[in-house]
Amino acid sequence: MADYRAVAAVCDAVMSLLRSNYDPADFDQELEFQVYTGRDFAQPMEAGVSLFLFRIFRDVTQRNPAGRLGPNGERHHARLPLELHFLLTAWGREASLQHTIAGWMTRTLEDAPVLPAGLLNARMAGVFDPAENIELLMSELPTEDLLHIWEVFGQNNYELSVPYMARSVRIASTRAVLPGDPVQERIFDYRSILPEGAR
């Protein structure tokens, strides 16, 4: 189970995966790979791929995973299962370059749909347990929502973007569940559940 740095680690891992599979000879130029905030759209890169995390949801497909047991036997609060929704945007001066980048990045992610712990922990050690992994899926985003994102951040200039989702991001709690006070006495009692007139 991951710690609170998991969201940042997943975004970095997606960029690292693309960067490590990139060959400049395939594009006749250097590409950049960056995680963007909204402000970065005002002065975007000339060519490459940006990742913009625009939404985080609770993963309702999973039951709340039980909290972990600490080394002293304390039980921690339940893990928080999340879905991360982000846009991958292909940047390039010419349409043909954008289309080539988009085809390459979608194929690359389809070939590696699971991010292993080694990649997730590459930039920030110890975020994920060694047996953990994260699943990447191409997702759907209504056209209206997609265009609204570009109205806000892209100064009404749309660039070719593909929505993706990372799921099974389970963030562990650092807080232990406090035990209740020990039982001092037990009181047994009974009452009639029949209405007054039915006795």
Side-chain angles (χ1 to χ4, degrees), residues 80-131:
L80 175 63
L82 298 178
E83 291 178 353
L84 311 182
H85 295 257
F86 54 90
L87 281 183
L88 292 179
T89 301
W91 297 93
R93 288 182 177 269
E94 300 83 26
S96 60
L97 177 58
Q98 287 190 2
H99 300 165
T100 301
I101 293 172
W104 167 79
M105 78 179 178
T106 53
R107 182 66 259 178
T108 300
L109 295 179
E110 189 68 21
D111 289 341
V114 176
L115 303 176
L119 180 60
L120 292 164
N121 290 329
R123 291 194 59 188
M124 290 182 274
V127 177
F128 288 84
D129 287 343

Side-chain angles (χ1 to χ4, degrees), residues 6 12 34 40 48 75 95 113 124 129 170 172-173 185 191 196:
D12 286 340
Q34 296 180 16
D40 295 314
R75 171 76 61 186
M124 290 182 274
D129 287 343
R170 294 184 287 265
S173 174
E185 62 177 313
R191 290 186 174 89
E196 286 291 332

Side-chain angles (χ1 to χ4, degrees), residues 39-169:
R39 293 186 300 276
D40 295 314
F41 286 94
Q43 293 183 316
M45 66 182 75
E46 288 194 9
V49 179
S50 68
L51 182 154
F52 175 60
L53 180 67
F54 65 91
R55 184 167 60 198
I56 299 176
F57 279 164
R58 176 183 283 272
D59 187 348
V60 295
T61 64
Q62 296 190 18
R63 296 175 59 192
N64 252 18
R68 65 183 175 87
L69 280 175
N72 58 357
E74 287 182 329
R75 171 76 61 186
H76 287 74
H77 287 277
R79 289 172 281 176
L80 175 63
L82 298 178
E83 291 178 353
L84 311 182
H85 295 257
F86 54 90
L87 281 183
L88 292 179
T89 301
W91 297 93
R93 288 182 177 269
E94 300 83 26
S96 60
L97 177 58
Q98 287 190 2
H99 300 165
T100 301
I101 293 172
W104 167 79
M105 78 179 178
T106 53
R107 182 66 259 178
T108 300
L109 295 179
E110 189 68 21
D111 289 341
V114 176
L115 303 176
L119 180 60
L120 292 164
N121 290 329
R123 291 194 59 188
M124 290 182 274
V127 177
F128 288 84
D129 287 343
E132 278 190 289
N133 55 55
I134 299 299
E135 185 179 5
L136 288 180
L137 300 166
M138 190 182 292
S139 63
E140 295 184 14
L141 184 64
T143 304
E144 184 179 343
D145 292 351
L146 184 59
L147 293 178
H148 182 65
I149 289 174
W150 282 99
E151 285 174 7
V152 173
F153 296 124
Q155 299 176 340
N156 294 316
N157 294 321
Y158 176 79
E159 302 292 342
L160 180 60
S161 302
V162 185
Y164 273 85
M165 174 178 67
R167 68 180 182 190
S168 302
V169 181

Side-chain angles (χ1 to χ4, degrees), residues 2-52:
D3 66 26
Y4 62 90
R5 300 172 294 168
V7 174
V10 170
C11 294
D12 286 340
V14 173
M15 290 289 93
S16 295
L17 175 63
L18 291 174
R19 192 179 296 111
S20 65
N21 283 278
Y22 154 67
D23 183 353
D26 292 338
F27 302 95
D28 296 325
Q29 69 180 89
E30 294 289 329
L31 300 185
E32 296 181 63
F33 300 90
Q34 296 180 16
V35 178
Y36 268 20
T37 65
R39 293 186 300 276
D40 295 314
F41 286 94
Q43 293 183 316
M45 66 182 75
E46 288 194 9
V49 179
S50 68
L51 182 154
F52 175 60

